[in-house]
């Protein structure tokens, strides 16, 4: 029996397999229910007592070695990928389609990038606002008709009446309440107004608010900042035009037009033959607003501006329907630069 076991040990050690079936065959032969080892265990009772220990150890050794071999080859075959000769593995793979950035994100990021070069940071505020931040602190007196300039969606909440913010000017208030001047920040975000949806109006859209508060900030600083922005955004040849306007939170206030990038200011159907396109509202922050936010209006002054991101994207990409931005139509979206 000892001889037989030593032979088996050699057989196990020299076992190799080229195919998984050979491993299975080997397993059945060695460890199967009618296998060699079963037989040997059955004969074990005939081994004289004084050899039992030695023979027992040998049987176990054969069993363990056989199991090791089986595991080794099984692992080997599991990791081998059978090569199908009909496939050309050197061919390039199928291209994966990469999504594109939304035009609103592209324009928003470009605006932020332009202003960050002259020191503006980015700040954000909540889309559900209280009356103070959206209206009162911005110098809209209660019951004042200026509140009707923006049709508001009101929201009922446990802490009283809230509203979906109608403009990102609400973030100005939050920043001024919490930051000591100098302040130089941009606040991008979504705003909501109760408007009928059409090609030119939507119940939600995006704005970017700009705010600069420091000592001795003048209207000239505002004009120069906006001229810099217009040239960076629409090209070096761009001119700006300021028209007097009214906003409760700025005094004086203005609306800003840029020379039409389609006709270069000569007049075309995009600019309705005026040569200019309106892009934003701006002004010097009203001293009342500064005081409402705890900033000393004798020491500090500043300017603010607010622009619609959709409006700028429409000019830049010559898009003529506001609804396209929120319909999620891939035929529209995939025309914009691939995501990086
Ligand atoms: N909040 C104004 C709007 O939604 C835009 C605006 C105008 C913002 C003048 C300003 C500003 O900061 O100074 O129509």
């Amino acid at each position: 029996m000892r001889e037989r076991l030593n032979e088996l040990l050699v057989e196990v050690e020299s076992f190799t397999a080229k195919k998984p079936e050979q491993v299975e065959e080997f397993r059945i032969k060695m460890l199967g229910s009618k296998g060699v080892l079963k037989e040997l265990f059955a004969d074990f009772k005939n081994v004289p007592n004084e050899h039992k220990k030695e023979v027992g150890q040998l049987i176990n050794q054969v069993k363990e070695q056989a199991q090791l071999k089986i595991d080794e080859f099984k692992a080997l075959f599991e990791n081998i990928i059978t090569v199908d000769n009909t496939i050309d593995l050197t061919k390039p793979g199928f291209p994966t389609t990469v999504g594109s950035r939304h035009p609103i994100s592209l324009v928003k990021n470009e605006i932020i990038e332009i202003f960050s070069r002259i020191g503006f940071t980015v700040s954000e505020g909540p889309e559900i606002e209280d009356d103070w931040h959206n209206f009162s602190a911005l110098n809209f007196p209660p019951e004042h008709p200026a509140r009707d300039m923006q049709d508001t969606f009101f929201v009922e909440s446990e802490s009283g009446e809230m509203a979906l913010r109608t403009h990102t000017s609400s973030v100005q208030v939050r920043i001024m309440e919490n930051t000591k001047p100098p302040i130089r920040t941009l606040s991008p975000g979504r705003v909501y107004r109760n408007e009928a949806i059409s090609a030119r109006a939507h119940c939600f859209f995006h704005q970017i608010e700009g705010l600069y508060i420091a000592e001795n900030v003048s209207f000239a600083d505002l004009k120069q900042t906006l001229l810099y922005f217009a040239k960076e955004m629409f090209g070096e040849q761009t001119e700006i035009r300021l028209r007097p306007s009214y906003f409760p939170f700025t005094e004086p206030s203005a609306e800003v037009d840029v020379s039409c990038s389609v006709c270069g200011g000569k007049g075309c159907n995009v600019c309705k033959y005026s040569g200019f396109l309106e892009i934003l509202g701006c002004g010097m922050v009203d001293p009342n607003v500064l005081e409402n936010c705890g900033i000393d209006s004798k020491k500090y002054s500043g300017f603010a501006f607010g622009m619609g991101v959709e409006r700028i994207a429409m000019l830049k990409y010559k898009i003529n329907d506001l609804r396209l931005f929120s319909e999620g139509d891939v035929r529209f979206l995939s025309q914009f630069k691939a995501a990086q």
Side-chain angles (χ1 to χ4, degrees):
M1 185 150 183
R2 233 179 305 161
E3 230 168 82
R4 172 93 177 101
L5 280 165
N6 281 325
E7 275 170 27
L8 274 175
L9 209 51
V10 175
E11 188 184 333
V12 169
E13 263 157 25
S14 57
F15 171 77
T16 63
K18 291 207 172 64
K19 291 187 285 190
E21 299 87 76
Q22 290 173 322
V23 184
E24 185 56 9
E25 242 169 61
F26 177 73
R27 187 191 66 79
I28 293 168
K29 179 179 165 197
M30 289 293 172
L31 310 176
S33 54
K34 291 187 183 127
V36 180
L37 279 160
K38 261 272 151 53
E39 246 172 65
L40 290 167
F41 275 121
D43 287 348
F44 186 66
K45 56 180 181 301
N46 304 326
V47 174
N49 276 348
E50 65 269 31
H51 296 310
K52 270 213 159 75
K53 185 174 173 205
E54 192 195 342
V55 173
Q57 276 172 350
L58 256 178
I59 297 180
N60 279 334
Q61 203 183 340
V62 173
K63 191 179 158 195
E64 274 163 25
Q65 289 296 329
Q67 191 61 55
L68 278 178
K69 276 281 177 182
I70 291 164
D71 293 346
E72 182 187 321
F73 278 99
K74 266 197 179 157
L76 186 72
F77 289 124
E78 268 164 23
N79 289 330
I80 288 177
I81 302 158
T82 32
V83 178
D84 179 347
N85 288 333
T86 60
I87 298 172
D88 179 358
L89 295 178
T90 63
K91 261 183 163 175
F94 294 108
T96 28
T97 34
V98 181
S100 53
R101 287 225 192 281
H102 196 283
I104 294 299
S105 301
L106 289 174
V107 169
K108 179 187 87 175
N109 292 342
E110 190 175 346
I111 296 169
I112 290 173
E113 206 267 323
I114 292 171
F115 279 102
S116 74
R117 276 186 255 142
I118 52 170
F120 279 75
T121 58
V122 174
S123 44
E124 285 177 349
E127 290 182 15
I128 301 176
E129 264 302 4
D130 50 36
D131 181 274
W132 172 254
H133 291 96
N134 197 76
F135 291 121
S136 298
L138 288 165
N139 215 21
F140 288 82
E143 316 303 332
H144 191 278
R147 288 182 185 233
D148 298 337
M149 280 167 75
Q150 304 169 347
D151 286 313
T152 312
F153 284 118
F154 291 97
V155 181
E156 275 183 28
S157 85
E158 281 164 15
S159 48
E161 197 175 60
M162 302 284 278
L164 297 183
R165 67 177 174 199
T166 58
H167 53 181
T168 43
S169 301
S170 56
V171 190
Q172 274 191 33
V173 178
R174 290 185 175 273
I175 304 294
M176 287 193 278
E177 281 173 339
N178 297 324
T179 324
K180 233 175 97 46
I183 299 169
R184 215 177 331 174
T185 191
L186 284 188
S187 313
R190 186 174 279 189
V191 300
Y192 301 83
R193 290 188 196 173
N194 189 3
E195 303 239 14
I197 297 171
S198 72
R200 315 200 112 248
H202 211 294
C203 58
F204 65 80
F205 55 98
H206 299 80
Q207 287 188 333
I208 295 187
E209 188 80 11
L211 178 69
Y212 182 28
I213 308 284
E215 285 179 50
N216 303 320
V217 179
S218 71
F219 201 87
D221 296 323
L222 169 60
K223 267 171 79 176
Q224 207 54 40
T225 305
L226 295 177
L227 181 63
Y228 156 78
F229 165 69
K231 284 179 181 290
E232 291 295 311
M233 190 76 204
F234 300 105
E236 185 53 37
Q237 72 298 337
T238 310
E239 290 172 17
I240 60 168
R241 181 173 82 174
L242 277 76
R243 282 177 290 109
S245 184
Y246 171 75
F247 298 102
F249 35 92
T250 42
E251 183 57 35
S253 305
E255 269 165 322
V256 178
D257 302 336
V258 290
S259 52
C260 178
S261 51
V262 178
C263 61
K266 287 190 204 72
C268 67
N269 61 354
V270 175
C271 60
K272 301 205 188 82
Y273 300 95
S274 70
F276 280 92
L277 295 157
E278 185 191 323
I279 58 156
L280 57 85
C282 66
M284 300 306 290
V285 179
D286 192 302
N288 283 345
V289 176
L290 294 174
E291 295 295 337
N292 283 343
C293 301
I295 291 180
D296 182 354
S297 62
K298 294 202 178 54
K299 184 165 182 209
Y300 295 106
S301 57
F303 62 72
F305 56 88
M307 62 184 108
V309 185
E310 276 82 351
R311 170 115 189 111
I312 300 204
M314 286 169 102
L315 295 177
K316 187 174 161 95
Y317 297 115
K318 309 204 170 35
I319 296 164
N320 57 11
D321 192 326
L322 199 55
R323 289 168 291 199
L324 286 164
F325 291 117
S326 50
E327 279 169 347
D329 188 331
V330 181
R331 290 169 303 177
F332 169 73
L333 296 174
S334 62
Q335 298 173 69
F336 300 91
K337 207 162 61 180
Q340 277 117 45

